[in-house]
Amino acid sequence: SDRLHISNLTNQRFTMKILIAPSGFKESLSPHTAAQCIETGIRRALPTAKTHKAPLVDGGEGFVLALVTATGGELRRLVVTGPVRQRVRSHYGFLGGCGPKTAVVEMAASAGLRLVPRDQRNPCLTTTYGVGETIVAAMSAGAERILVGCGDSGTCDGGVGMAQALGARFVDRNGRQLPLAAGGASLANLAAIELAGLHPRLPDVTIDVACNWHNLLCGPHGVACVFGPQKGATPAQVEELSAALDNYAAVLEQEVGFDVSRAPGSGASGGLAAGLLMIGATLHPRYQLIMPYFYLDCLLAHCDLVFTAEGGLDAQTARGKIPAEVARRVKNCGRPVIALAGTIGDNAAVNYEVGIDAFASVIQAPTTLEDAMQDAERLLVEGAESAMRMVMVGASISRRAERELELERAELDLADDFARL
């Protein structure tokens, strides 16, 4: 049946329906742009293809735009305090459709790694203060519910900056208030948390958080140890942050009544999720919260082939990243999946086990990471075209084999007829 399905792909009476469901390429391409590039490459190879773009997000960059686009909502612009305490242009959105007035907040738009200059990447000092300012703006605009996407952060402050922007006070061992937006290292001196001054609208607003359920606040697998180096932390700074977050978790436990340090999802976005728990939010496994807005299962039922993509595909992809999530769902529908990536990392072959049928890097020649990121659109277009042409070659071979098999069967039938005569 698989051969028959593939052979149909080159049948002139058959229009191939292709679903394009990529992630973004971190600090390079948004999910929306990645989907456009893949579509362009596919149509270079097969102009008659019917394509449907469903750019996906995991809570990081592109979260707001993707959900606003999927629901016919509204994008809003604002200026907030960025991760290095300079004012930055940011955005949030409101979903379209019925139900409570729902705002969408993307932490990466206010505190993402992309907003941290490379010579200032020290997660001991970066802040989520702008995320709190965005939440305040959404509440002021009438939000009854807020969806917060965690991902692609440049911070490790446990969400304290965010909470300060909402009116929380953090007090040190000498009874002095911690400086505003001081970063994660300042939490080493934290002794008490005061929430009496939180924004008055918070009790009336439901806050749901899309986060990676595997990310923990503390311990050897906590955010300081796992993600600190990716955000620019030296080994000494990783130890400093880890100790500061341990102290923060101990103080926070007194406030919320349970051990936050190893709560599922608590470490998302440098511990922003822990800070959101502190102000009454509910954490959710990210795809459980996000996927219903994209109707992916319905789209899969009406396609013949799926393209997905991300910046780097490796063993971590199989642990909850978008290409693996797409592949798991596609596997239930019996459709082939191709994953394109900027780089292919260690143990990438484990992704075959979750349903990715083929993957390839779009980088065609030795280059620097910086050059590849600057040229990402061209590389992805050409990579998608090349992959699509490979599909067409394989389908052509399969169809030829099918015709030969049909001829053999016809010859055998004819021989049987002669034998009976």
Side-chain angles (χ1 to χ4, degrees):
S1 61
D2 289 343
R3 291 180 62 192
L4 283 171
H5 178 74
I6 294 173
S7 70
N8 279 335
L9 299 183
T10 53
N11 189 324
Q12 292 181 354
R13 294 171 297 175
F14 180 84
T15 301
M16 194 189 309
K17 297 183 285 293
I18 302 172
L19 177 63
I20 303 166
S23 171
F25 286 35
K26 190 175 293 187
E27 297 188 77
S28 180
L29 297 176
S30 70
H32 181 75
T33 301
Q36 289 180 320
C37 291
I38 294 171
E39 181 181 55
T40 299
I42 288 171
R43 287 190 170 166
R44 281 186 185 179
L46 186 64
T48 60
K50 283 187 65 176
T51 56
H52 184 96
K53 299 189 294 295
L56 299 177
V57 288
D58 58 6
E61 290 182 4
F63 179 69
V64 169
L65 181 59
L67 289 187
V68 165
T69 301
T71 62
E74 174 191 0
L75 193 66
R76 298 205 177 181
R77 308 282 182 180
L78 76 167
V79 176
V80 299
T81 303
V84 294
R85 287 165 293 284
Q86 295 177 338
R87 302 296 281 174
V88 298
R89 296 181 183 277
S90 186
H91 59 268
Y92 68 101
F94 279 100
L95 299 183
C98 304
K101 188 173 183 180
T102 300
V104 193
V105 172
E106 172 187 317
M107 84 82 57
S110 303
L113 186 61
R114 174 182 58 85
L115 299 173
V116 184
R118 290 189 176 274
D119 61 352
Q120 297 183 53
R121 291 193 172 178
N122 178 356
C124 290
L125 303 178
T126 49
T127 180
T128 55
Y129 197 88
V131 180
E133 291 177 311
T134 308
I135 292 173
V136 170
M139 291 192 297
S140 298
E144 300 169 306
R145 179 179 179 236
I146 299 175
L147 301 183
V148 180
C150 289
D152 299 329
S153 71
T155 58
C156 202
D157 73 347
V160 165
M162 174 275 303
Q164 287 176 322
L166 286 162
R169 284 169 45 89
F170 297 84
V171 181
D172 69 16
R173 296 184 179 96
N174 297 314
R176 294 190 296 264
Q177 183 176 348
L178 293 184
L180 295 180
S186 68
L187 299 176
N189 298 315
L190 180 67
I193 300 171
E194 299 175 358
L195 301 180
L198 281 175
H199 196 286
R201 279 218 61 218
L202 270 175
D204 303 320
V205 178
T206 299
I207 302 178
D208 292 309
V209 184
C211 59
N212 188 332
W213 215 232
H214 300 290
N215 288 358
L216 306 179
L217 182 64
C218 300
H221 301 293
V223 288
C225 297
V226 175
F227 298 105
Q230 296 177 17
K231 299 173 185 181
T234 64
Q237 288 167 345
V238 167
E239 289 187 19
E240 181 182 6
L241 269 176
S242 185
L245 290 174
D246 284 346
N247 182 58
Y248 171 54
V251 177
L252 186 55
E253 182 177 356
Q254 299 172 22
E255 185 64 40
V256 299
F258 65 92
D259 182 8
V260 178
S261 65
R262 289 174 175 78
S266 61
S269 287
L272 172 66
L276 289 164
L277 275 174
M278 176 175 57
I279 64 167
T282 302
L283 308 188
H284 303 265
R286 52 191 175 185
Y287 297 117
Q288 182 184 95
L289 194 63
I290 295 170
M291 284 300 180
Y293 291 103
F294 295 103
Y295 306 102
L296 189 61
D297 293 334
C298 179
L299 293 172
L300 290 173
H302 297 91
C303 72
D304 304 293
L305 173 66
V306 178
F307 273 80
T308 185
E310 70 171 339
L313 189 142
D314 55 24
Q316 291 298 315
T317 301
R319 297 187 60 192
K321 292 191 177 182
I322 282 175
E325 181 67 16
V326 169
R328 286 189 181 98
R329 292 169 181 263
V330 173
K331 200 170 188 178
N332 294 331
C333 300
R335 305 294 192 268
V337 182
I338 295 173
L340 302 175
T343 59
I344 305 298
D346 293 339
N347 300 318
V350 300
N351 290 285
Y352 294 135
E353 298 172 12
V354 299
I356 293 175
D357 295 290
F359 57 78
S361 169
V362 300
I363 296 176
Q364 303 159 341
T367 185
T368 65
L369 177 60
E370 183 178 348
D371 288 344
M373 291 172 66
Q374 289 178 349
D375 206 19
E377 289 191 31
R378 179 188 66 83
L379 291 172
L380 187 53
V381 168
E382 294 180 356
E385 179 183 1
S386 177
M388 191 66 232
R389 291 188 182 278
M390 293 286 190
V391 169
M392 294 165 66
V393 167
S396 177
I397 292 171
S398 180
R399 188 162 185 263
R400 184 183 307 164
E402 196 67 38
R403 284 200 302 267
E404 290 175 357
L405 182 60
E406 289 172 358
L407 286 172
E408 289 177 8
R409 287 172 178 165
E411 289 174 357
L412 288 172
D413 290 343
L414 187 60
D416 288 344
D417 290 342
F418 275 117
R420 284 194 292 270
L421 290 173

